[in-house]
Amino acid sequence: MTTVAAKPATMAQALTRALRDAMAADPGVHVLGEDVGTLGGVFRVTDGLAAEFGEDRCTDTPLAEAGILGTAVGMAMYGLRPVVEMQFDAFAYPAFEQVVSHVTKMRNRTRGKMPLPLTIRVPYGGGIGGVEHHSDSSEAYYMATPGLHVVTPATVADAYGLLRASIASDDPVVFLEPKRLYWSKDAWNPEEPASVEPMGRAVVRRSGRSATLITYGPSLAVCMEAAEAARAEGWDLEVVDLRSLVPFDDETVCASVRRTGRAVVVHESGSFGGPGGEIAARVTERCFHHLEAPVLRVAGFDIPYPPPMLERHHLPGVDRILDAVGRLQWEAES
Amino acid sequence: MTVMEQRGAYRPTPPPAWQPRTDPAPLLPDAEPYRVLGTKAADRADTELLRTLYARLVRGRRYNAQATALTKQGRLAVYPSSTGQEACEIAAALALEERDWLFPSYRDTLAVVSRGVDPVEALTLLRGDWHTGYDPYEHRVAPLSTPLATQLPHAVGLAHAARLKGDDVVALAMVGDGGTSEGDFHEALNFAAVWRAPVVFLVQNNGFAISVPLDKQTAAPSLAHKAVGYGMPGRLVDGNDAAAVHEVLSDAVRHARAGGGPTLVEAVTYRVDAHTNADDATRYRGDAEVETWRRHDPVELLERELTERGLLDEDGIRAAREDAETMAADLRARMNQDPELDPLELFDHVYAEPTPQLREQRDQLRAELAAEAETAARQTGAPEGGRR
């Protein structure tokens, strides 16, 4: 048996591979959206699918997000497994009524008779110099809507595994793709049989003893960098990658915080009403007696996503995380 | 000399597709709504069909009256009556084959029942014991949709999926005049036309979106005219003429099944009752207008046709009414029973498997219910225990 050398793949390529494998494995999987066919998507995630599976399986739709998602609901009702692409985070808002009024409620309103196995791919977040409406972090909207799974990969391997799991799920999934990681590479080998990750499990990406950074998607790399930098300050940081915002893995998160006694939640979406508030509250409720300091949040500012030339001031960077870590010396200060 | 006539000027190639790709004339609706009853067209109507339609219309009228009465008794939270619109509801549903799908809006209970759904199950949404009381797959009826026009793209997607699978299934999507102003109406019709999906869109134009009349809803010559812009035929039909509705819908269904693509049908009708029992219709329309429409009643139109043709006599009318009374009595009796509800079921259908968070909350509710039961038992002096 010849050993295949690990060829690094980008996250976008891993997503393409996940779609292709899912379509090959199940003839019910259909991809639809604006530009997903001939062009292969503006991020090329659906590249080659129309050629390989035909336009009936990978369909260029009219430009209408509510229509894309609404027709996908009907397709799922008839037993297909649609995967829709919302080209950019803020372009998905016209489809939001379909999300909250139908996608998330169809199983519930029919007492389980009409589940909707569909995946909504949303390229999200900033850091790529996109103009207005191209960099929103919309996860809190989706998290606040019962009936949806909300997942977001931070590694190339997870991009593959979580997308396969999302497509295989019998429930609707909002699959948030961090745009700035599309071109990132890691050791994932597309030639090897890839694992399909179960949804709903967080993972410890870096072990540490002095505090836990809780993060996901686009902010994981920043947190890993911050953790390395913190060593110089004498901090040994643990980094937890949530991977799934709904369902939320209280167990892994709380086990980590109980070990370290301190926690910072890091994400680039706004702080007020954002995911960090929910996570900090959950951690506080469950780990209060283990906490040496309040759970802190490092997030984007509570402003509309800034223009590209200013976005670096908005996005949480290593320094802002290290500042928060410094503030975890609560007892000493108060 | 214009710029374009200058020597060496850039001469663009004309864009390829500016010519209209379809002659719009065949897509345009007639100026007047199509009618059968009281016209020569009635000569070729299927008499058995007319009799069936009549019996169902009488039942439908009685159903509306009974459901409205149930709101007064507090058995239904609300009921949007379709009195005056029974012909649209019933004739449209009857135009479908068993394998076809119906996508109703919240006022379309009669169409739902016409598909064979149990009348009580069709009312659970309005009673409030669960949102959808029936299994959508059993009679191929989607849940009653409360948001306007959002169910139309579902109909398109389902019909499209069926065709991809090789099934000759047609979807009938129902919407009101107000719903045609919604974005989802546009997107659904556009998708259906581009995909040539086997869908029939039926607009029941009953004159008002709650209180807003049609002329404040649209400036189009008719709602059926909207079809032309999508590249599908538009048809205008008298919505109180059950035979005409059935004929036009049957044609559209046949056209869709044969691969001809979608049709938009506008049925011109009138909502004789208020929007719901909670609405005061006297604030936005006069009695004279309602009276005019009462004289164009769908049940009476059909009754007159059948009577004049010697297809229906007093006995026949009485039999239809007795049948309707039996249905109403059964509905009343069953609706007067309190539904058995299990609060813990609230957590069962959010996901295929409850999340850890939902499991915790279900345990919390279970504990609350047990405490409630214990308190109740103590107050009534019954022995403690039971539901712990």
Side-chain angles (χ1 to χ4, degrees):
Chain A
M1 197 180 112
T2 51
T3 315
V4 183
K7 272 192 298 184
T10 65
M11 182 180 278
Q13 288 166 337
L15 293 167
T16 310
R17 173 71 192 268
L19 289 170
R20 188 152 58 87
D21 289 356
M23 291 174 87
D26 179 354
V29 177
H30 285 243
V31 170
L32 60 157
E34 168 77 7
D35 300 311
V36 299
T38 308
L39 183 66
V42 295
F43 294 108
R44 303 293 181 271
V45 170
T46 57
D47 197 20
L49 298 179
E52 186 172 348
F53 297 100
E55 288 179 14
D56 282 348
R57 297 280 305 281
C58 179
T59 309
D60 273 331
T61 63
L63 203 173
E65 287 75 14
I68 293 167
L69 187 52
T71 50
V73 168
M75 291 166 76
M77 286 164 103
Y78 205 77
L80 300 183
R81 257 172 214 278
V83 182
V84 305
E85 177 175 303
M86 298 283 149
Q87 201 162 77
F88 282 91
D89 32 57
F91 296 2
Y93 300 145
F96 201 63
E97 184 183 14
Q98 285 290 341
V99 173
V100 296
S101 292
H102 294 298
V103 170
T104 56
K105 289 181 175 161
M106 201 62 86
R107 171 188 287 281
N108 187 259
R109 71 160 63 99
T110 61
R111 280 195 155 114
K113 293 292 196 320
M114 189 171 258
L116 293 181
L118 61 87
T119 304
I120 308 170
R121 292 182 37 240
V122 186
Y124 85 121
I128 62 159
V131 296
E132 196 184 13
H133 306 298
H134 290 72
S135 301
D136 285 17
S137 294
S138 37
E139 58 266 36
Y141 305 138
Y142 300 115
M143 286 171 71
T145 310
L148 274 182
H149 293 295
V150 183
V151 301
T152 178
T155 68
V156 177
D158 267 2
Y160 180 89
L162 286 173
L163 185 53
R164 289 298 304 273
S166 301
I167 296 170
S169 167
D170 286 333
D171 286 316
V173 181
V174 168
F175 188 85
L176 297 166
E177 300 175 2
K179 283 195 286 292
R180 67 165 126 151
L181 298 183
Y182 271 143
W183 304 280
S184 68
K185 294 179 182 179
D186 59 34
W188 183 68
N189 181 0
E191 305 301 327
E192 281 176 4
S195 66
V196 175
E197 299 295 330
M199 286 190 293
R201 287 196 200 154
V203 63
V204 176
R205 295 287 182 199
R206 186 189 192 282
S207 301
R209 288 174 294 104
S210 27
T212 303
L213 300 181
I214 304 165
T215 191
Y216 55 87
S219 295
L220 175 65
V222 188
C223 286
M224 295 297 276
E225 203 184 321
E228 282 307 308
R231 280 160 44 147
E233 316 268 337
W235 287 90
D236 178 21
L237 297 181
E238 183 146 307
V239 179
V240 174
D241 174 8
L242 293 173
R243 301 153 118 202
S244 164
L245 297 169
V246 182
F248 189 83
D249 187 352
D250 288 302
E251 210 177 306
T252 302
V253 170
C254 291
S256 172
V257 176
R258 286 186 191 118
R259 275 195 301 273
T260 63
R262 293 176 170 87
V264 181
V265 190
V266 182
H267 57 63
E268 66 180 64
S269 77
S271 181
F272 189 87
E278 172 63 31
I279 295 165
R282 303 188 76 80
V283 169
T284 307
E285 284 171 356
R286 286 164 176 74
C287 311
F288 185 72
H289 294 294
H290 299 265
L291 287 173
E292 306 288 340
V295 180
L296 299 180
R297 285 171 290 171
V298 174
F301 296 126
D302 295 323
I303 56 174
Y305 196 85
M309 293 174 79
L310 293 170
E311 69 178 343
R312 69 185 179 87
H313 301 291
H314 169 75
L315 293 170
V318 170
D319 288 346
R320 208 173 283 162
I321 296 169
L322 293 178
D323 280 352
V325 169
R327 276 187 284 136
L328 288 176
Q329 290 169 321
W330 178 255
E331 217 172 15
E333 280 175 20
S334 56
Chain B
M1 191 166 67
T2 69
V3 171
M4 294 303 286
E5 285 162 354
Q6 288 170 20
R7 274 170 58 88
Y10 167 64
R11 289 180 186 281
T13 315
W18 289 122
Q19 300 82 9
R21 284 180 290 180
T22 313
D23 174 10
L27 306 179
L28 278 166
D30 295 333
E32 281 293 308
Y34 176 70
R35 294 194 172 92
V36 169
L37 300 179
T39 75
K40 282 204 175 307
D43 295 343
R44 53 185 165 78
D46 177 346
T47 54
E48 266 321 294
L49 173 71
L50 294 184
R51 282 178 158 147
T52 304
L53 282 171
Y54 176 73
R56 302 244 184 153
L57 287 195
V58 172
R59 276 174 80 115
R61 175 64 49 88
R62 188 66 189 86
Y63 187 100
N64 275 325
Q66 184 57 61
T68 302
L70 287 165
T71 63
K72 291 176 183 145
Q73 296 155 20
R75 281 289 172 183
L76 286 180
V78 67
Y79 183 70
S81 168
S82 60
T83 297
Q85 300 178 221
E86 292 94 340
C88 306
E89 297 278 318
I90 288 157
L94 279 183
L96 296 177
E97 301 284 341
E98 205 179 307
R99 62 188 177 283
D100 296 333
W101 273 77
L102 175 74
F103 286 78
S105 78
Y106 60 88
R107 198 182 297 285
D108 300 323
T109 319
L110 290 189
V112 170
V113 173
S114 295
R115 290 287 287 167
V117 172
D118 183 306
V120 171
E121 291 185 352
L123 286 175
T124 55
L125 172 77
L126 303 165
R127 174 158 68 174
D129 49 319
W130 204 269
H131 304 304
T132 295
Y134 49 89
D135 176 352
Y137 291 102
E138 195 181 340
H139 300 285
R140 286 152 301 280
V141 178
L144 291 153
S145 183
T146 309
L148 295 185
T150 51
Q151 82 282 17
L152 305 184
H154 305 170
V156 177
L158 180 135
H160 177 64
R163 204 167 55 139
L164 290 177
K165 283 190 170 186
D167 302 338
D168 65 341
V169 165
V170 175
L172 169 62
M174 300 175 88
V175 68
D177 41 304
T180 65
S181 301
E182 293 278 3
D184 280 50
F185 174 82
H186 160 66
E187 297 191 22
L189 266 71
N190 194 44
F191 270 69
V194 171
W195 286 352
R196 287 179 78 81
V199 185
V200 179
F201 298 98
L202 174 61
V203 180
Q204 291 180 72
N205 171 8
N206 67 12
F208 295 91
I210 304 191
S211 69
V212 179
L214 188 70
D215 62 354
K216 286 187 181 168
Q217 199 66 241
T218 180
S222 78
L223 297 173
H225 274 81
K226 289 176 183 252
V228 184
Y230 299 103
M232 72 173 77
R235 296 284 172 258
L236 195 55
V237 62
D238 182 342
N240 287 17
D241 180 336
V245 173
H246 188 270
E247 189 183 319
V248 170
L249 264 294
S250 298
D251 283 350
V253 167
R254 243 188 324 270
H255 182 72
R257 205 183 307 282
T263 302
L264 172 65
V265 180
E266 176 188 357
V268 183
T269 183
Y270 196 78
R271 191 190 75 215
V272 174
D273 287 345
H275 166 61
T276 68
N277 51 298
D279 168 40
D280 176 10
T282 63
R283 292 177 72 104
Y284 53 84
R285 66 187 191 189
D287 291 345
E289 180 182 299
V290 182
E291 269 317 300
T292 309
W293 278 95
R294 278 193 199 281
R295 287 196 292 278
H296 193 61
D297 182 84
V299 185
E300 284 172 26
L301 283 179
L302 188 52
E303 195 173 284
R304 192 186 312 148
E305 183 80 37
L306 287 167
T307 313
E308 284 173 4
R309 285 175 182 270
L311 298 169
L312 184 70
D313 55 15
E314 284 303 317
D315 287 346
I317 293 171
R318 198 180 312 115
R321 287 181 186 164
E322 279 170 10
D323 167 63
E325 276 313 317
T326 309
M327 178 277 302
D330 174 63
L331 180 61
R332 203 164 49 236
R334 290 164 64 208
M335 287 295 290
N336 277 324
Q337 290 160 11
D338 290 325
E340 275 187 37
L341 300 175
D342 176 7
L344 294 179
E345 196 192 349
L346 289 171
F347 301 97
D348 288 352
H349 316 297
V350 186
Y351 299 97
E353 288 292 325
T355 61
Q357 291 76 30
L358 284 178
R359 280 185 222 279
E360 275 180 28
Q361 292 169 14
R362 186 169 59 190
D363 289 345
Q364 180 196 338
L365 181 59
R366 185 182 284 123
E368 286 171 10
L369 292 169
E372 254 176 46
E374 206 170 301
T375 308
R378 209 176 297 129
Q379 280 167 353
T380 56
E384 281 186 34
R387 200 167 183 178
R388 279 206 176 213

